[in-house]
């Protein structure tokens, strides 16, 4: 397990509220040399290799297009970064699966759709706990099924 990644993932992140803030972040990431950034889609196996500059530019371009097309708001608000001036972790939430990104009493916030990281990612679905209600349901299901 990559505890450095998880430490960053659970650390303080700044919400990019304005689209021009997102533009500046994308510009900073595009300036990175080859082999610095990993692109992880939650639910897929974590990547083993970082992206080269061309791959990173393509990922940024496609994510930006998706966000601007499907998040039909005058503000961004669904991208979070550890440090806008020297980023090393970016969480990007799927506009079609937002739930309550900041969390609530009904359970933990949804996982981001994508994570860009300078550290190799950890499989988030494997290490983050399920909501307790869902776990209890699953446990009851198994008890009934075995007897």
């Amino acid at each position: 397990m990559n505890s450095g990644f998880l430490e960053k993932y659970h650390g303080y992140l700044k919400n990019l509220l304005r689209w021009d803030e997102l533009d500046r972040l994308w510009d900073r990431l595009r300036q990175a040399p080859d082999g610095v950034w990993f692109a992880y889609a939650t639910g897929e196996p974590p990547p083993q290799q970082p992206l080269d500059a061309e791959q990173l530019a393509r990922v940024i371009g496609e994510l930006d297009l998706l966000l601007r097309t499907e998040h039909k708001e005058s503000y961004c608000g669904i991208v979070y970064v550890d440090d806008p001036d020297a980023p090393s972790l970016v969480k990007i939430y799927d506009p079609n699966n937002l739930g309550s990104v900041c969390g609530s009493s009904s359970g933990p916030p949804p996982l981001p759709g994508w994570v860009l990281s300078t550290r190799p990612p950890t499989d988030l679905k494997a290490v983050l706990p399920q909501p307790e209600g869902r776990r209890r349901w699953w446990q009851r299901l198994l008890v009934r099924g075995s007897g």
Side-chain angles (χ1 to χ4, degrees), residues 9 42 92-94 97 109-113 124-125 128:
Y9 180 86
T42 306
I92 305 153
Y93 286 86
D94 186 337
N97 186 31
L111 293 174
L124 293 174
K125 286 193 171 199
L128 295 179

Side-chain angles (χ1 to χ4, degrees), residues 37-118:
W37 286 95
F38 291 84
Y40 170 49
T42 306
E44 295 293 320
Q48 300 300 307
Q49 299 296 321
L51 303 172
D52 64 34
E54 183 179 316
Q55 292 169 319
L56 179 60
R58 188 171 59 248
V59 165
I60 289 170
E62 292 296 324
L63 285 170
D64 190 66
L65 179 63
L66 181 138
L67 293 177
R68 291 174 194 269
T69 302
E70 296 187 15
H71 186 58
K72 299 188 184 308
E73 303 292 344
S74 61
Y75 56 89
C76 178
I78 58 175
V79 177
Y80 295 77
V81 61
D82 61 338
D83 181 347
D85 297 320
S88 65
L89 187 125
V90 180
K91 289 183 188 178
I92 305 153
Y93 286 86
D94 186 337
N96 292 316
N97 186 31
L98 292 177
S100 177
V101 171
C102 61
S104 70
S105 60
S106 65
L111 293 174
W114 305 273
V115 177
L116 301 176
S117 174
T118 58

Side-chain angles (χ1 to χ4, degrees), residues 26-45:
W26 291 152
D27 288 344
R28 282 189 181 84
L29 269 59
R30 284 185 191 103
Q31 294 170 12
D34 278 354
V36 172
W37 286 95
F38 291 84
Y40 170 49
T42 306
E44 295 293 320

